[in-house]
Amino acid sequence: MKILPIREGITGKSLFNLAAFLLLIFILFSANKAGISGDEEVHYNQSVSVYNYFSSLGVNNSALNTPVTHLKYYGQSFDNITTILIRWFGIEDIYSFRHLMNSFAAWLTILLSALLAVWLSGYEAGFLTLILFALSPTFLGHAQNNLKDIPFALAYIAGSLYMLKWLFAKKPSLVNSLLLIFSIAFCIGIRPGGLVLICYLLLFFLIKEVIAFRKNARYNTAFLRNKLISIGFIIFLSYLLGILLWPFVLKYPVTGFWESYKVMTQFPTTVRQIFEGRFEWSDFMPWYYLPKLMLITIPLVVWAGILCFISLPGKALKKEWLKYTFLLFTILFPILFVIYERSNLYGSWRHFLFIYPGIVVLSATGIWNLLRFFKSAVKKGIILLIVFLLALHPIDFMARNYPYYYLYYNQLVGGLKGAYGKYETDYYYHSVREGSEWLIGYLKQNNPSDSLKIGSNFPADWFFRKEKNLSSTYFMYSERSQHDWDFYIVANSYISPTLLKNGNWPPKNAIKIIKADGIPICAILKRENKDDLLGFQAYNRNSLQEATKFFEDAIRKGCQDEIIFYNFASVCYKSGDKEKATTLLQKGLEINPDCERILMLQANIFAEVKKFDQAAELYQKVIRVNRKYFDAYPALAKIWINQGELKKARKLLKDCLMMSPKNKAAILALADSYRKSDPDVAKKYEELALQLPTD
C-alpha cells in the first residue's frame, strides 16, 4: 500500500527530483527583489580588501586592519569567492549577483539535507524534507541575501552528511573522502566555528569504535591505526584548504585561528534588540533567547514533525539509532554551548541557521515514521490533511509578504502582528530597497530636477548610485533632527518598542509606509522644514537665543521627535531656565517615555535643585531602560553615598565597572564611597582613576 499519493509510473526518486528542481526555480526567483542585508555591505567591502590583499601579493593589507568590524577574524570564504568572480567577469550589478550566488548555496543546502534524509530513511523522507524547507519562511528569507549564515549552513550540513557516510562506510570511497575534506574546509573558511566539524569527526569516530569494541570484545589495531591516519590526513587538508582565502590566519596559521575563534565565541560588537517587549543589549539576553525565537519563528508543521520523531521512533530509526544520535548531537550541541557560554546573540537565530537543516531532516523523518505507523489509508489521509492545514500559515504569509519571508512568526505569538513591538521585525533592513525604489519613482514624478538629500537608518548608497541629483547619507533614526536631509527612509530596526506600541512610529510626516502582514516595517519621511536642524546647529555654536527661536518654530509647526524637545530643553537648561527645560522634557516623554537622554537630563535637573528622591528614581529608570547608559551609575551612586547607602552605591558602581571597566567617573565615585570609612582604599581607587584618560 502506498504511503504517499504517488501516481503509477512515478517513483519516489522521480518525485524527489521534480520537487528539488521546482524548489531551485522558486529560490532563485525569490532573490530577485532581495534587499541588501544588514551586514552585507561591510562583508562585501572586506571581501574587496581580501581580493586586493592577494592581487597585491600582501602589499595592500587593509584586510588585516579591521578594528571596527572585526572582520579579519572571519574567513568569509563564500563572500571572497563571490567577489573574485565579480572581479574576474566584470559583473556590475554586484548585489544581484551576490544574492543569486547565495540563493544557489541555499538550494544546495536544501538538496544535501534531503539527500541525508534519503540516505537515512529513503526518498519519501527526502521528498518531505524538500517540502518542509519550502514551508520555512525564515530560512527562505535568509536564502535571498545572507551570505554569512546560509553558506555556513551549506558547509555544516555537507560536513555532517559526508562525515556520517565516511564513518559508517566499510571502506570510504575517495570521492566521499574528498567531499568531506572540502566540506570541512569550506566550513572553516567561513567562520572559525567550522572547527567543530573536526571535533565531531574525532568524537563520533571514537564513540562508534568504542561501541564496536564493546559489541565484538576485540579490536583490529591495524584498522584503528589506518583510520586515525586517514582522519589526520582529512584534518590537515581541511584546515589547509580552509584558510587559503583568509589573510589573517594565513599570516598566523595557529595563533591567528585561535584568536579568531576566541573573538567569535564572545563577539565584541553588542547591539540592542527587542525581546519580549524589552529593548535589551545582546550580551544580556536571557539564556532562552535562542530556543524561544526558534520556537516562535519555525513553522508549527516542522515542530509537529519533531514531536513525531521523538514520540514515534519507528523500526528504521531504532535500527539506525547511532546515525540519528550523531545528527541530533550536531543540532543540540551548538545550542547548549552558547547557552553555557552565555554568548552574545542578536539578529534572532540567523547565526544558527546552520542547525536548521538537521531539524528539518528529523522533522521529515518523524512525519514519515507516522505515515508508516498507520496501515489505514484513511488515517494516512488524516495525517496528510493535518500537515496541509499546518502548512497553510507559512504558505499564506509568504504569498502575501514577498520578499519579506524572514519576518515570519508562527501562531504561538499570533504571527507577525502579534510579535510587533515584542520582538524584532525588519532587523536586517530588507525593506530599505523597496523604500528607496519607491522614493526614486516618487521624486522623478514630483521633483524631477531638484537636488535632494536622502537620509536612511541603513546605508542606501547602492540604490541611489544612478541618481545624479540625489545624495544619500546614513544616520540613526533617533538623530534625524540633527542631520540635513529632505527625505528619510527608516526601516523598523533599532526603533524603541515604546514608540512602536504607543503609535508614535511611523511619525506623522511619513508619506509612504511599507507593511508586512499589516504592520509597518519601513517608512519614508518628508521634511517640511529644517528648524530643528538649524536650532541644533545654533546650539552647537552657543547661539542660545537663535537656537530658541528655531526650536520654538519647530515645535509650533508640530513635531513627533522627542529629541527636538531634548535639544530645546538643553538650550533652556544652559540658559538657566530649568523650569522651562523640565516642561519641554515632559513633552518629549509624552512621545517616548523611555528616552534615556531626556530622563537623564531631567534627573540631573532634579539633583541640582536638591530633589534627590525624584532624581534617584529617574536615574534608576534610565538604568532599567538602558543598562549601558553609564553616566547614570555614578550620578545615582553619588545620591546614595550622600544618603549613607554605601553598600547599595558600591554594588551599583561595581555593576557598572563589570560592563565598563575603564569608567573613570564610576571609579572616582567608588573612591568617594570609601573616603570616610577607609581612606587607603579611596586613595587606591583615585590612583587607578588617574591612570585612565580623561573623557
Side-chain angles (χ1 to χ4, degrees), residues 154-169:
L154 168 59
Y156 192 80
I157 194 62
S160 300
L161 169 62
Y162 296 120
M163 185 186 307
L164 287 171
K165 283 190 169 185
W166 192 89
L167 287 171
F168 286 90

Side-chain angles (χ1 to χ4, degrees), residues 601-674:
L601 180 54
Q602 182 65 83
N604 288 340
I605 292 173
F606 281 147
E608 286 186 19
V609 298
K610 302 190 185 306
K611 294 182 179 180
F612 296 118
D613 290 341
Q614 290 169 278
E617 185 178 339
L618 285 181
Y619 286 135
Q620 289 178 83
K621 184 173 181 180
V622 171
I623 294 169
R624 286 197 303 272
V625 169
N626 180 1
R627 68 173 76 234
K628 291 190 179 182
Y629 204 98
F630 298 123
D631 288 349
Y633 288 83
L636 176 58
K638 183 178 179 181
I639 292 175
W640 283 348
I641 290 168
N642 291 335
Q643 292 175 344
E645 299 279 359
L646 299 180
K647 286 185 178 181
K648 281 174 63 178
R650 289 168 186 163
K651 183 182 182 306
L652 178 75
L653 293 167
K654 288 175 182 178
D655 288 344
C656 175
L657 291 169
M658 285 290 290
M659 296 178 282
S660 179
K662 296 181 180 180
N663 191 305
K664 192 171 185 177
I667 294 171
L668 289 172
L670 262 178
D672 288 340
S673 75
Y674 285 101

Side-chain angles (χ1 to χ4, degrees), residues 436 439-440 454 460-467 470 472 489:
S436 299
L439 182 57
I440 289 170
I454 311 301
D461 306 57
W462 178 258
F463 304 119
F464 292 94
R465 68 192 185 281
K466 296 180 181 179
E467 309 305 317
L470 303 178
S472 174
I489 304 165

